[in-house]
Amino acid sequence: MAALPTLPQTHVGWLAMIAAPTAVWLSLTASAFTVLYLWFGMERDEVKFLVALHTGKALPVHKVLFPLFAGVVVAAQAAIGLWMHGLRLPTAPPPGKGWTAPRAHKAVGVVACAFILLTACTGLLYRIARKVLFIEKPKVHFLMELHTLAVVRLHAVYPVLLTAALCYLAWSGLRRLGRCVLEARRTGTAEVGSNI
């Protein structure tokens, strides 16, 4: 299989530094809502502040621009992750090698990126349909069903599982990026390592 062309790794790194905290913020607010509302049975009015945090309504940012920005940035990072690593599931490590941090990041990333991409794109499309195109909620509700995987009845666990994967990917990816930046500074190379 031919090697894919590489993006300048500094651009991938900068996008990751923006996308990782954004994705973790969005997934943490969704998970908190899911746990409190679906698991513990709290009233929707008691936890609607989490929806406001998730959609940007409670933040000092524009209520349409934040979800659009967040959706584009997170979808772009997920797409780049899939592009860099392909859709190949990593194989078991060779005997005696064990699971390294980059190999574990790739294994979790390849599985999670498709779901992250689905969630980011459906959330983005829903927000565009509702706030930009002013389409009525019942006509675009199927996007929310896909966004939360309620269409396959996983809406009670999906946000929590996605949050766990995103937190791990953000931590391991930014940790690796930091090491690559320090290595580039130490060696005096202009480009951050190609194996981010």
Side-chain angles (χ1 to χ4, degrees):
M1 183 169 148
L4 293 171
T6 59
L7 289 171
Q9 295 299 315
T10 49
H11 294 114
V12 174
W14 282 108
L15 179 62
M17 289 192 302
I18 296 168
T22 304
V24 169
W25 170 266
L26 293 171
S27 65
L28 283 173
T29 54
S31 289
F33 175 82
T34 300
V35 168
L36 293 174
Y37 180 64
L38 295 177
W39 294 13
F40 293 115
M42 291 180 73
E43 295 296 322
R44 190 172 188 87
D45 286 343
E46 294 176 311
V47 292
K48 69 180 179 183
F49 74 96
L50 290 167
V51 175
L53 288 173
H54 184 73
T55 60
K57 290 179 186 173
L59 302 174
V61 294
H62 195 273
K63 64 182 179 181
V64 174
L65 294 181
F66 173 74
L68 296 179
F69 166 78
V72 168
V73 166
V74 173
Q77 182 65 33
I80 287 171
L82 286 173
W83 183 48
M84 286 174 65
H85 300 299
L87 291 174
R88 301 176 310 272
L89 290 175
T91 58
K97 294 287 183 180
W99 281 93
T100 62
R103 182 172 283 153
H105 179 88
K106 181 179 177 182
V108 172
V110 167
V111 173
C113 269
F115 293 105
I116 296 166
L117 195 57
L118 170 74
T119 303
C121 289
T122 53
L124 179 63
L125 290 173
Y126 181 81
R127 192 57 49 193
I128 290 170
R130 293 281 294 131
K131 298 297 181 185
V132 177
L133 302 175
F134 303 106
I135 298 174
E136 297 168 3
K137 194 175 191 174
K139 292 182 179 177
V140 292
H141 186 68
F142 74 96
L143 289 170
M144 273 298 105
E145 297 283 315
L146 287 171
H147 185 69
T148 60
L149 284 189
V151 73
V152 289
R153 300 185 185 270
L154 290 176
H155 60 285
V157 294
Y158 176 66
V160 177
L161 294 174
L162 195 61
T163 298
L166 274 166
C167 287
Y168 174 75
L169 289 171
W171 171 77
S172 64
L174 292 175
R175 181 174 170 246
R176 177 72 182 140
L177 176 64
R179 287 184 176 177
C180 288
V181 168
L182 290 176
E183 180 66 20
R185 283 188 179 167
R186 188 181 64 78
T187 60
T189 57
E191 192 67 34
V192 175
S194 62
N195 57 353
I196 294 177

